[in-house]
């Protein structure tokens, strides 16, 4: 097992997708951001499912809106490229449904879960163990899951449908999401720690 | 006082992180966070990538996200101890007690089951909140918009059906 963990670092080091340090720092920044904005809390994601907390959609739509505009112009400038995922209808619809149900119950997603384990959440650690078994089952029965996922209908992007008007489409898309993030009313569900800190 | 970053600042910084990760100065790839799970399962259960095609497929993405995850754990831990001061060992989320029940066993069993299907779902769709929702929609990818729509719908319907509409007395 030790040599495979070592192999993880050498795999990253041998590719051209950032040095081990850069990739670690990307994660570090992500961890700080998720923790400092408190979106790793059960109250944020399960709270959104109950429509009692809107911090997650507000933050997410703002980030997507800004990133979509920035990324388009970075691609134009030649300093980034698009890597869209394939349209696999079975996978997207069945997978997305399972993912949404699970996210509402666990109150985490695969990115925010580890950050909440890092602040001492034991229930999420149990969820992560469940997740590792999920990864195991998926790996072992990949042939079966592949049938559910279905054929890829291509890796298209919205901008590619509007040849000649890409700039305008990206701006409209990005600004629309930014406006959505602002007009969603801010609601917050607090947990015990928040309530303690509010009294201070 | 609550030690917390406002949502708009977190949104702006998250956009910058995604852009940096996409750029040639960062990692020239999308930001993602669910491929590491089958990758770690392969390591923990000592499955050979030669024998399991899926492990071969995620060999690089899994390693990349594994290193990224170590950073996220470090960042989350240090911030919870020194900045937000919210580090504490806990099992029961406040809102679970308020809107579901006060049984620790119930919370742990549901955590395990939902953790299991969270990863099956993400791997079926080919991404999660980070890879599909955030990075995918930022590329205006059609697949990610389908995923995003399905997830938003199922999360809100589950929230309505699974939890109580009135708070329990706690």
């Amino acid at each position: 097992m030790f040599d495979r963990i070592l192999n993880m670092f050498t795999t990253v080091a041998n590719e051209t997708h950032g040095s081990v340090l850069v990739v670690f720092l990307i994660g570090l920044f992500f961890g700080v951001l998720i923790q400092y904005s408190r979106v790793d809390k059960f109250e944020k994601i399960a709270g959104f499912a109950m429509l009692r907390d809107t911090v997650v959609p507000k933050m997410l739509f703002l980030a997507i809106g800004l990133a979509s505009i920035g990324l388009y112009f970075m691609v134009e400038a030649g300093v980034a490229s698009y890597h869209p995922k394939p349209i696999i209808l079975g996978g997207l619809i069945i997978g997305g449904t399972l993912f949404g149900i699970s996210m509402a119950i666990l109150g985490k997603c695969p990115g925010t879960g580890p950050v909440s384990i890092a602040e001492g959440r034991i229930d999420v650690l149990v969820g992560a163990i469940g997740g590792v078994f999920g990864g195991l089952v998926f790996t072992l029965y990949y042939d079966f899951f592949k049938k559910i996922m279905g054929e890829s209908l291509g890796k298209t992007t919205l901008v590619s449908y509007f040849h000649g008007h890409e700039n305008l489409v990206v701006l409209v898309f990005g600004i629309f999401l930014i406006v959505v993030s602002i007009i969603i009313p801010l609601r917050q569900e607090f947990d015990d720690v928040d309530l303690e800190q509010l009294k201070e | 006082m609550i030690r917390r970053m406002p949502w708009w600042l977190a949104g702006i910084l998250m956009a910058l992180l995604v852009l940096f990760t996409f750029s040639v100065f960062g990692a020239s790839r999308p930001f993602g966070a669910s491929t590491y799970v089958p990758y770690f399962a392969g390591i923990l259960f000592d499955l050979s990538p030669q024998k399991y095609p899926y492990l071969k497929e995620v060999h690089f993405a899994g390693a990349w996200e594994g290193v990224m995850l170590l950073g996220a754990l470090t960042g989350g831990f240090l911030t919870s101890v020194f900045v937000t001061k919210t580090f504490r060992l806990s099992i029961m989320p406040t809102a679970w007690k308020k809107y579901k029940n006060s049984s620790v066993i119930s919370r742990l069993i549901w955590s395990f089951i939902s953790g299991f299907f969270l990863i099956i779902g993400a791997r079926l769709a080919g991404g999660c909140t980070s890879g599909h929702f955030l990075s995918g929609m930022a590329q205006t990818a059609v697949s990610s918009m389908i995923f995003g729509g399905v997830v938003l719908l199922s999360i809100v319907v589950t929230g309505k059906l699974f939890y109580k509409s009135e708070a329990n007395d706690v």
Side-chain angles (χ1 to χ4, degrees):
Chain A
M1 194 195 280
F2 183 73
D3 55 319
R4 286 187 70 169
I5 293 171
L6 203 66
N7 179 266
M8 180 175 90
F9 293 100
T10 51
T11 305
V12 172
N14 291 337
E15 289 274 344
T16 52
H17 292 281
S19 64
V20 171
L21 180 68
V22 166
V23 179
F24 182 83
L25 288 177
I26 288 173
L28 188 83
F29 189 82
F30 177 75
V32 171
L33 194 54
I34 293 296
Q35 173 63 230
Y36 203 174
S37 57
R38 310 304 295 121
V39 291
D40 67 318
K41 298 294 301 181
F42 178 84
E43 285 69 23
K44 298 290 133 188
I45 292 181
F48 166 58
M50 294 182 248
L51 302 178
R52 292 177 189 280
D53 193 299
T54 54
V55 170
V56 169
K58 281 175 83 71
M59 176 178 157
L60 211 49
F61 283 128
L62 178 63
I64 300 166
L66 292 170
S68 63
I69 297 173
L71 184 60
Y72 177 76
F73 288 103
M74 280 167 61
V75 172
E76 287 287 280
V79 293
S81 47
Y82 281 150
H83 310 264
K85 292 175 189 290
I87 305 171
I88 36 168
L89 283 181
L92 291 171
I93 294 170
I94 297 171
T97 306
L98 285 176
F99 188 79
I101 295 172
S102 307
M103 207 161 123
I105 295 175
L106 186 61
K108 319 281 156 177
C109 55
T112 54
V115 179
S116 70
I117 295 172
E119 69 163 346
R121 294 237 55 114
I122 293 161
D123 54 329
V124 185
L125 184 63
V126 172
I129 296 169
V132 169
F133 278 98
L136 176 71
V137 167
F138 192 85
T139 304
L140 294 180
Y141 301 101
Y142 186 42
D143 287 338
F144 166 76
F145 287 110
K146 237 175 165 170
K147 278 181 212 138
I148 299 179
M149 287 152 80
E151 290 295 313
S152 167
L153 302 176
K155 297 183 174 183
T156 38
T157 58
L158 186 68
V159 286
S160 65
Y161 290 122
F162 297 89
H163 193 68
H165 304 281
E166 288 94 342
N167 293 6
L168 184 69
V169 172
V170 163
L171 282 176
V172 169
F173 179 81
I175 291 169
F176 173 75
L177 288 180
I178 295 169
V179 171
V180 166
S181 79
I182 294 169
I183 56 175
I184 295 174
L186 181 64
R187 294 192 71 178
Q188 299 202 69
E189 177 73 28
F190 293 111
D191 75 338
D192 287 341
V193 182
D194 294 331
L195 294 172
E196 271 169 41
Q197 290 187 349
L198 273 175
K199 282 185 211 135
E200 282 169 20
Chain B
M1 196 193 76
I2 297 189
R3 297 168 190 88
R4 172 180 298 172
M5 186 188 281
W7 68 271
W8 53 268
L9 183 57
I12 293 170
L13 292 176
M14 185 60 89
L16 292 176
L17 179 70
V18 169
L19 292 178
F20 177 73
T21 308
F22 263 105
S23 79
V24 291
F25 316 107
S28 311
R29 79 185 292 278
F31 181 79
S34 63
T35 315
Y36 72 84
V37 187
Y39 183 81
F40 281 162
I43 294 179
L44 285 170
F45 293 94
D46 201 23
L47 306 177
S48 153
Q50 270 76 43
K51 206 172 150 214
Y52 295 96
Y54 190 63
L55 290 182
K56 213 169 179 173
E57 249 177 63
V58 300
H59 185 69
F60 174 70
W64 192 94
E65 290 183 8
V67 174
M68 190 282 289
L69 178 79
L70 294 180
L73 289 171
T74 312
F77 175 72
L78 293 177
T79 310
S80 73
V81 172
F82 296 109
V83 183
T84 56
K85 303 196 192 298
T86 51
F87 183 90
R88 55 211 72 191
L89 291 177
S90 49
I91 293 186
M92 188 59 113
T94 309
W96 183 280
K97 243 183 320 193
K98 226 164 131 187
Y99 302 111
K100 187 68 187 170
N101 57 42
S102 41
S103 157
V104 171
I105 300 294
S106 157
R107 172 62 189 157
L108 292 185
I109 291 174
W110 278 114
S111 293
F112 186 90
I113 297 172
S114 56
F116 180 89
F117 284 106
L118 186 73
I119 298 304
I120 298 275
R123 293 295 86 218
L124 273 174
C128 63
T129 322
S130 307
H132 251 316
F133 220 100
L134 194 56
S135 304
M137 289 227 252
Q139 305 172 76
T140 71
V142 175
S143 56
S144 301
M145 290 182 204
I146 299 173
F147 178 79
V150 172
V151 169
L152 281 181
L153 186 70
S154 69
I155 195 172
V156 171
V157 170
T158 309
K160 188 105 197 127
L161 299 176
F162 187 78
Y163 297 102
K164 294 172 185 166
S165 50
E166 299 289 322
N168 297 327
D169 295 321
V170 284

